[in-house]
Amino acid sequence: MERIDKMFGENVFNDAVMKERLTKPTYKALKNTIDKGEPLDVSIADEIAKVMKEWAIEKGATHFTHWFQPLTGLTAEKHDAFIDPEGPGKVILKFSGKELIKGEPDASSFPSGGLRATCSARGYTIWDCTSPAFVKDNTLCIPTVFCSYTGEVLDTKGPLLRSVDALSKEAIRVLRCLGNTTSQKVFPNVGPEQEYFIVDKKSYDEREDLIFTGRTLFGAPSPKGQELDDHYFGVLKERVSAFMKDVDKELWALGITAKTKHNEVAPAQHEIATIYTSGNLATDNNQLVMEVLKKIALRHGLVCLLHEKPFAGINGSGKHNNWSMGTDDGLNLLDPTDTPHSNKQFLLFFTATIKAVDKYADLLRFSASNAGNDHRLGANEAPPAIISVFVGDQLEDILEQLEKGSATSTKGNSKLDLAISTIPTVEKDATDRNRTSPFAFTGNKFEFRMPPSSKSVAEPNTVLNAIVADVLSEIADRLEKASNVDAEVEKILTEIVKEHKKVVFNGNGYADAWVEEAEKRGLPNIKTTVEATKALIADKNVSVFEKFGILTKEELESRYEVALENYAKAINIEALTMIDMASKKIVPAVIKYTAELANSLNAIKAAVPSADVTTESELITKISGLTAKLNISLRELKASTEKAAATTDAYDQAYAYKFDVFEKMSVLREAADALEVLVDKKAWPFPTYSDLLFNV
Ligand code: ADP
Ligand code: MG
């Protein structure tokens, strides 16, 4: 393999390529937009398009596409060849500045939550030059924002970019009040950790549930699960390792900093983490990480499952969203330094985040919700559905001091000495880790641990940026008016701690006691996606989004509809898949097996009338009993699904899918899984958990 530093970013139209190939004034103008957020000078687009096209063609590109992120949660692309006719039977290769800047896809077939009708189908994709173009599969991909003819954003990138601007503006205001005159821009820095499962393609192909829904809808537990803790960080199996190497290579060529890879807690579960970068780019990169994982797996005869809960009874997958605020001149505003108690800048940005998380817990909770994540949050494998913030001992001590007035000391970092002569003494971190917290301060960043593995990180980051911008803007309003800034800072810090310490929790988030305690503290415990969607239309949340021009009330209402629709559709597909598998596979297989048992029982009795056939007859009784149960629950599931599908109000419909259809699915599954344990392995109609989890 080529050295990583040589191949890194070879398929990206990155800074080095632009610097080398663009004229100086064009390069400078473009950089001003990328680095400083200045408006794009469209007159330079033609030159950039020409250079970009030549570069892409050298990389083997024949087509270009505006790459965008509609509300399906996936990426979308429509490919156009670079060709333009020139004379009879001839073409030239063309790509103009206009084509670079603006595309006009039909927007009517993407979710819009009623914002637009099919009769007004025009949509636009508009170039986002802050995320570099890249070549993938012989196509030049240009990251874009997707909006309707009338300007409503129909994607996840538009609001994200607006939230990044809002955060920057408000953070800079606060920095100026604190005497910082050099920083020009503040970026949210984001490092997502992506969990996923790998299964064998042959087994996968035999399971409609995996194919249609991404998770197993049936399946009795295998004799071994994750109880031995032997998979986490375990040695990589050769096939998995070969797959991971190809993933790394592909990502590095796309300029994506794939850094960490390891086996996760559950069998067949793994993780990949990239090095943090600015929020917009990190989001685009994570979309590509998910795409590359899926694509490369297939090349190895494997399938990558990004679903949050592919298997019952073992851990599911999430996406830890590491988030901090950094300036263009290299400061991390969440770096506590060695003496956080006297670092007013850190304390302001740190407590502002805590306040934002407390005030907008419902929005954050929503941003981490989808049908798959309902299986995880609060299920003792992932954080609870209650949002709280872990700060660790050192910072908790400082918050306590602030509550009483001002902070005057920092608990010292200790050393770790194992008293083995050959092993060095090391510095301990200021805080231990707390895996049970949904929102944990981990050294110099917050780690939001709730987001779902399959979903874009655009939404959680849009929410984080927006809500922190809101608190920073309140702080800036006060500091800009204050005659004594230091005294005002002290006042603000004390006030925030007093009002919002209820969200700080350093204990075990998995314990039942925490659920009770959180209720006493008045923290919301929003258990399901359906209920979480309400956050999108709550007045206080609408006003924060409108305040910064991130999303309008209408856009939020449409996203509320889309979220409910997406949920209802997901459960509907699951229910229909279950009905299909149960009626066409499980029931016929079980009936056939029972008949075989009955035949053998009769044969034995005929041959040896005194033979003991209690095993056969007990088995037949048990299996027929369960089959009858299965049949009843199948009928009930069908009825509930039909009823839910016919419900017209979006909220009522999603509610019916959650609290009626989903319940019936569980009953059906229970009967089927009980049957699986009794029926001959050879007679069972699809691969089992043992086949799926231990056969790669
Ligand atoms: P863990 O030990 O939590 O599994 P990983 O190494 O898997 O940690 O991932 C940590 C993630 O946090 C990486 O993506 C890393 O780049 C990111 N990260 C580190 N520092 C920051 C920071 N200041 N801001 C945002 N993300 C960060
Ligand atoms: Mg990790």
Side-chain angles (χ1 to χ4, degrees):
M1 195 178 96
E2 228 186 313
R3 278 172 58 126
I4 306 177
D5 51 357
K6 294 270 174 340
M7 65 172 303
F8 189 83
E10 66 185 6
N11 293 335
V12 186
F13 191 71
N14 57 20
D15 188 60
V17 181
M18 292 193 279
K19 196 167 183 179
E20 186 196 317
R21 300 187 178 213
L22 294 173
T23 59
K24 264 207 177 115
T26 299
Y27 173 72
K28 210 171 150 218
L30 185 59
K31 282 291 274 184
N32 275 343
T33 301
I34 297 172
D35 296 342
K36 301 200 183 121
E38 286 177 14
L40 179 72
D41 172 5
V42 290
S43 70
I44 61 175
D46 273 327
E47 183 193 328
I48 299 171
K50 195 161 160 262
V51 169
M52 210 185 248
K53 178 198 72 185
E54 289 307 321
W55 169 84
I57 290 169
E58 283 166 30
K59 297 278 165 202
T62 52
H63 289 69
F64 70 92
T65 183
H66 274 197
W67 187 75
F68 61 104
Q69 297 163 38
L71 300 180
T72 53
L74 304 168
T75 55
E77 46 193 73
K78 177 187 109 203
H79 301 199
D80 279 303
F82 284 121
I83 55 169
D84 219 38
E86 203 193 45
K90 277 185 122 182
V91 291
I92 52 161
L93 301 182
K94 231 183 99 189
F95 180 54
S96 66
K98 208 173 138 243
E99 286 170 306
L100 168 64
I101 289 187
K102 194 178 86 179
E104 293 181 22
D106 183 334
S108 59
S109 298
F110 293 104
S112 73
L115 260 186
R116 36 168 339 296
T118 25
C119 58
S120 52
R122 200 189 284 279
Y124 291 120
T125 48
I126 305 170
W127 181 33
D128 165 23
C129 69
T130 62
S131 179
F134 52 92
V135 169
K136 167 175 83 84
D137 191 22
N138 304 106
T139 299
L140 169 67
C141 300
I142 299 151
T144 53
V145 173
F146 177 46
C147 66
S148 71
Y149 182 67
T150 38
E152 289 100 357
V153 285
L154 296 174
D155 71 350
T156 50
K157 187 190 263 287
L160 176 63
L161 285 172
R162 287 171 173 169
S163 75
V164 170
D165 275 352
L167 180 71
S168 181
K169 186 166 156 254
E170 304 307 329
I172 290 287
R173 281 179 68 204
V174 172
L175 285 176
R176 291 284 178 272
C177 295
L178 297 178
N180 173 323
T181 53
T182 50
S183 304
Q184 299 298 323
K185 211 169 155 53
V186 169
F187 293 95
N189 278 322
V190 172
E193 299 166 53
Q194 175 75 49
E195 292 180 331
Y196 61 92
F197 278 81
I198 286 293
V199 296
D200 188 83
K201 174 90 164 57
K202 280 197 222 85
S203 302
Y204 170 93
D205 283 341
E206 287 177 54
R207 298 216 38 152
E208 284 91 339
D209 47 4
L210 286 179
I211 294 171
F212 295 136
T213 74
R215 76 179 181 101
T216 54
L217 299 167
F218 297 104
S222 64
K224 178 178 189 281
Q226 63 191 43
E227 60 279 64
L228 293 180
D229 294 327
D230 55 352
H231 195 255
Y232 191 56
F233 285 10
V235 177
L236 302 176
K237 288 184 184 164
E238 224 170 273
R239 231 177 130 193
V240 173
S241 175
F243 149 78
M244 286 180 171
K245 281 178 192 160
D246 282 353
V247 167
D248 284 339
K249 247 197 287 184
E250 184 96 1
L251 291 175
W252 291 331
L254 285 168
I256 298 172
T257 52
K259 167 95 174 161
T260 309
K261 54 185 180 184
H262 60 83
N263 285 350
E264 257 301 331
V265 169
Q269 192 187 26
H270 312 277
E271 180 185 297
I272 179 168
T274 49
I275 299 173
Y276 72 91
T277 181
S278 69
N280 178 41
L281 187 56
T283 303
D284 285 358
N285 285 351
N286 183 252
Q287 294 295 101
L288 287 169
V289 166
M290 293 193 283
E291 183 181 319
V292 166
L293 285 170
K294 286 187 153 182
K295 183 175 85 177
I296 304 290
L298 289 173
R299 256 188 229 160
H300 289 256
L302 302 167
V303 177
C304 169
L305 305 176
L306 292 170
H307 194 282
E308 289 70 27
K309 192 73 178 177
F311 301 97
I314 57 170
N315 278 11
S317 299
K319 185 140 57 190
H320 293 176
N321 188 79
N322 294 275
W323 180 92
S324 66
M325 292 171 269
T327 65
D328 56 340
D329 51 350
L331 299 175
N332 176 358
L333 303 177
L334 288 177
D335 180 359
T337 59
D338 287 340
T339 49
H341 73 275
S342 62
N343 185 341
K344 293 289 178 308
Q345 179 180 297
F346 163 72
L347 289 176
L348 265 186
F349 284 93
F350 175 68
T351 54
T353 311
I354 293 176
K355 175 171 175 180
V357 171
D358 186 31
K359 192 167 164 196
Y360 298 104
D362 55 341
L363 254 188
L364 268 181
R365 168 68 182 88
F366 165 75
S367 78
S369 65
N370 70 2
N373 229 18
D374 277 8
H375 296 275
R376 298 178 63 241
L377 300 179
N380 280 13
E381 59 165 71
I386 307 158
I387 303 256
S388 64
V389 184
F390 169 85
V391 297
D393 295 340
Q394 191 187 60
L395 291 169
E396 189 174 44
D397 174 60
I398 290 176
L399 292 181
E400 277 165 14
Q401 295 181 48
L402 286 173
E403 191 186 0
K404 290 183 203 125
S406 58
T408 53
S409 64
T410 297
K411 275 189 183 173
N413 289 348
S414 50
K415 297 217 184 301
L416 192 65
D417 183 357
L418 293 181
I420 304 171
S421 61
T422 51
I423 302 292
T425 302
V426 293
E427 291 258 338
K428 284 212 296 194
D429 286 293
T431 56
D432 194 2
R433 285 171 179 252
N434 181 331
R435 281 284 164 203
T436 67
S437 175
F439 203 87
F441 188 71
T442 45
N444 61 4
K445 59 183 164 41
F446 282 99
E447 187 173 350
F448 184 28
R449 302 213 182 97
M450 276 182 160
S453 50
S454 69
K455 201 173 159 178
S456 162
V457 289
E459 215 160 45
N461 286 302
T462 303
V463 168
L464 264 172
N465 300 338
I467 64 179
V468 175
D470 183 46
V471 178
L472 291 175
S473 103
E474 286 170 13
I475 293 175
D477 287 346
R478 284 177 63 174
L479 294 183
E480 281 166 2
K481 275 193 230 117
S483 47
N484 181 340
V485 169
D486 283 347
E488 191 66 11
V489 168
E490 296 258 317
K491 239 167 99 185
I492 292 171
L493 291 172
T494 303
E495 268 175 43
I496 294 185
V497 176
K498 278 193 174 145
E499 277 168 42
H500 300 283
K501 66 171 189 201
K502 68 175 197 293
V503 79
V504 174
F505 176 62
N506 281 344
N508 178 7
Y510 292 176
D512 292 337
W514 168 233
V515 178
E516 282 169 37
E517 161 79 17
E519 200 182 332
K520 274 193 220 130
R521 293 190 189 188
L523 302 178
N525 182 1
I526 306 166
K527 295 203 177 85
T528 69
T529 293
V530 179
E531 292 152 298
T533 53
K534 287 275 186 212
L536 276 178
I537 48 168
D539 288 342
K540 76 172 190 344
N541 301 337
V542 171
S543 60
V544 69
F545 279 122
E546 289 206 316
K547 175 174 172 185
F548 297 110
I550 294 171
L551 286 164
T552 62
K553 186 160 194 260
E554 290 69 37
E555 286 169 334
L556 285 162
E557 278 165 359
S558 80
R559 271 156 213 255
Y560 165 74
E561 295 273 324
V562 171
L564 291 168
E565 266 173 31
N566 283 348
Y567 179 84
K569 284 178 189 162
I571 305 298
N572 188 54
I573 295 170
E574 289 188 353
L576 296 181
T577 306
M578 274 193 115
I579 292 167
D580 208 59
M581 287 172 80
S583 355
K584 294 190 187 146
K585 289 204 155 162
I586 300 176
V587 170
V590 170
I591 289 176
K592 196 166 156 221
Y593 180 63
T594 324
E596 275 169 26
L597 279 176
N599 284 342
S600 87
L601 182 144
N602 286 338
I604 295 167
K605 267 194 165 165
V608 186
S610 62
D612 182 353
V613 287
T614 42
T615 308
E616 289 83 351
S617 83
E618 269 178 23
L619 207 48
I620 292 171
T621 313
K622 269 196 209 157
I623 291 178
S624 338
L626 282 168
T627 311
K629 238 191 194 167
L630 184 119
N631 196 36
I632 294 168
S633 45
L634 189 56
R635 210 169 358 176
E636 287 180 353
L637 175 60
K638 275 184 197 162
S640 292
T641 309
E642 273 165 28
K643 201 166 143 216
T647 310
T648 45
D649 176 79
Y651 189 85
D652 293 345
Q653 182 177 57
Y655 197 90
Y657 274 107
K658 173 69 197 172
F659 294 98
D660 184 18
V661 177
F662 189 78
E663 297 300 315
K664 302 279 170 19
M665 283 164 56
S666 307
V667 180
L668 175 62
R669 176 174 185 151
E670 215 174 285
D673 291 358
L675 279 165
E676 185 195 317
V677 179
L678 298 175
V679 170
D680 183 352
K681 169 101 175 78
K682 285 195 210 91
W684 197 248
F686 38 75
T688 63
Y689 270 28
S690 306
D691 303 328
L692 288 164
L693 290 168
F694 295 93
N695 264 2
V696 167

